[in-house]
Amino acid sequence: MNVPPPPPAGQCKPGTNQSLNYCFPDSSLWIKLTTSDIIYGVYAFKLASISQYFNDLLELGTQTSKSEPAKAEALGSGKQGEGNGQALDSPLILQGTEAAFEAFLECVFGKFANLYRKPALFWLHAIEMADFLGSTSVMSTATHHLSLAKDLDPADRLQLAIHYHLDEWLPTAFRELLKIPLALLTQDQIHKIGFSAYITLAETHTKIAEHRAISALVAPPVVHDVDCKRPEMCKKAWAHAWWGEANKTGVAIALIHPHHMPAHRILNALPDISVSWQMPGTCRKLTVKALENNPNVLLREDFIIAGAVKVLKGL
């Protein structure tokens, strides 16, 4: 079944400036955003139960009403058209965008429930507003859905991981960005991850490229079987297989190819490497086994990435 996308934010009831989707009957709190003329009518106690900001606001209003009833309306800034949100003509003024605030309201009130598909952008808006309004429950919900989102930009994932200290996201987010050549990163992506993370990303690209180039150029040493009759011929056969000579597909090309094959896949394919008859099967098995037991040879980039992730955790 095709699930439609969410309705666009910022829609009004015909002939009014009241929100089409988030202006409820018997609303007890009226809100207007600094970036919009739309008025939202919602339930104060529902918001207070889920947001520290609105909870503090409600407590402040209750205390003010008890001590100075005549000044209960003075919770706002005092400017014309602004107030404590107790009436349509004196809405509470709140910072934020229509998209972010309506995503937050949808998480709280669930007007549309599962009637439409919520893309990653919806949850990005929700987490932004939840952070601003101090709502741990909406933050948790948004974080969960973003962790599963297939349409989340790797730069957004890394930015969220760093900003909200989601350490478990960092390795995946960083590896996703490493798949993109630095020259192909957009200015928007670079801006999202920030200067420090970009420098870490660039340094990691350089270290991995250097390691792969050296590994491709210099074939790992051969481990000879005790019965190897011609060690020098065996060594040359291994080097030729590594470089992919004589129309054989070698490891070197996989290491330096622009579309990097993951080192784990290269290592897993080594038992099937095509080697000429000059290298006995026993020597090939021993050499491959030595590579598997020494991850610093082919899998050194895993250690490089782990070091970079450690740096990112400190940002």
Side-chain angles (χ1 to χ4, degrees):
M1 182 178 68
N2 291 326
V3 182
Q11 296 186 84
C12 295
K13 295 179 180 179
T16 75
N17 66 337
Q18 297 176 32
S19 172
L20 175 64
N21 297 318
Y22 303 99
C23 195
F24 305 126
D26 304 320
S27 298
S28 56
L29 181 64
W30 301 90
I31 299 171
K32 179 180 177 297
L33 302 173
T34 55
T35 58
S36 171
D37 293 326
I38 296 176
I39 304 293
Y40 298 89
V42 293
Y43 303 120
F45 282 98
K46 178 68 173 177
L47 285 179
S49 69
I50 212 163
S51 159
Q52 188 63 49
Y53 173 86
F54 285 110
N55 180 69
D56 293 345
L57 192 68
L58 187 63
E59 288 184 355
L60 177 61
T62 302
Q63 293 169 5
T64 305
S65 297
K66 287 180 178 179
S67 59
E68 301 178 70
K71 296 182 179 179
E73 299 178 358
L75 296 179
S77 65
K79 297 179 182 179
Q80 186 178 3
E82 300 181 12
N84 64 351
Q86 293 183 358
L88 179 61
D89 59 354
S90 60
L92 176 72
I93 304 301
L94 194 67
Q95 292 182 357
T97 64
E98 293 170 352
F101 189 53
E102 292 189 21
F104 177 80
L105 291 179
E106 177 57 27
C107 291
V108 175
F109 295 103
K111 180 176 179 180
F112 296 100
N114 296 320
L115 294 181
Y116 62 74
R117 170 182 50 83
K118 299 180 179 71
L121 184 59
F122 172 91
W123 296 111
L124 287 173
H125 287 316
I127 201 171
E128 173 192 344
M129 207 67 194
D131 184 35
F132 176 67
L133 296 175
S135 176
T136 55
S137 60
V138 174
M139 284 279 293
S140 178
T141 300
T143 300
H144 170 71
H145 284 281
L146 285 169
S147 70
L148 303 174
K150 302 297 184 182
D151 56 337
L152 183 62
D153 188 296
D156 283 315
R157 194 179 298 278
L158 185 63
Q159 188 270 338
L160 289 169
I162 294 172
H163 185 74
Y164 296 113
H165 302 289
L166 303 172
D167 290 351
E168 67 277 11
W169 285 23
L170 280 173
T172 300
F174 192 66
R175 284 181 180 274
E176 286 180 353
L177 271 180
L178 276 174
K179 295 176 182 177
I180 305 174
L182 284 178
L184 296 183
L185 286 176
T186 66
Q187 288 299 315
D188 184 53
Q189 287 176 315
I190 295 172
H191 176 73
K192 284 176 180 177
I193 66 175
F195 178 76
S196 296
Y198 177 75
I199 292 299
T200 302
L201 183 68
E203 289 177 344
T204 305
H205 266 289
T206 301
K207 290 177 181 178
I208 289 177
E210 181 181 274
H211 166 64
R212 281 180 170 249
I214 293 173
S215 298
L217 182 63
V218 182
V222 174
V223 179
H224 298 283
D225 182 66
V226 290
D227 295 326
C228 183
K229 304 300 183 183
R230 298 178 177 178
E232 285 303 314
M233 294 291 292
C234 179
K235 182 179 178 181
K236 288 181 179 179
W238 171 252
H240 291 170
W242 186 264
W243 294 326
E245 294 181 3
N247 295 321
K248 297 183 176 67
T249 302
V251 176
I253 188 63
L255 286 169
I256 62 175
H257 196 277
H259 301 292
H260 287 171
M261 179 184 291
H264 283 283
R265 284 182 57 189
I266 296 175
L267 188 61
N268 291 337
L270 275 179
D272 300 320
I273 189 172
S274 181
V275 182
S276 64
W277 62 270
Q278 287 97 338
M279 184 179 198
T282 51
C283 293
R284 178 170 62 87
K285 290 180 180 179
L286 287 172
T287 303
V288 170
K289 189 66 176 178
L291 286 172
E292 293 173 342
N293 292 335
N294 185 9
N296 199 41
V297 178
L298 276 182
L299 301 183
R300 185 181 173 189
E301 63 189 66
D302 286 347
F303 296 97
I304 295 173
I305 293 172
V309 169
K310 187 176 180 179
V311 171
L312 294 175
K313 287 181 180 180
L315 295 181

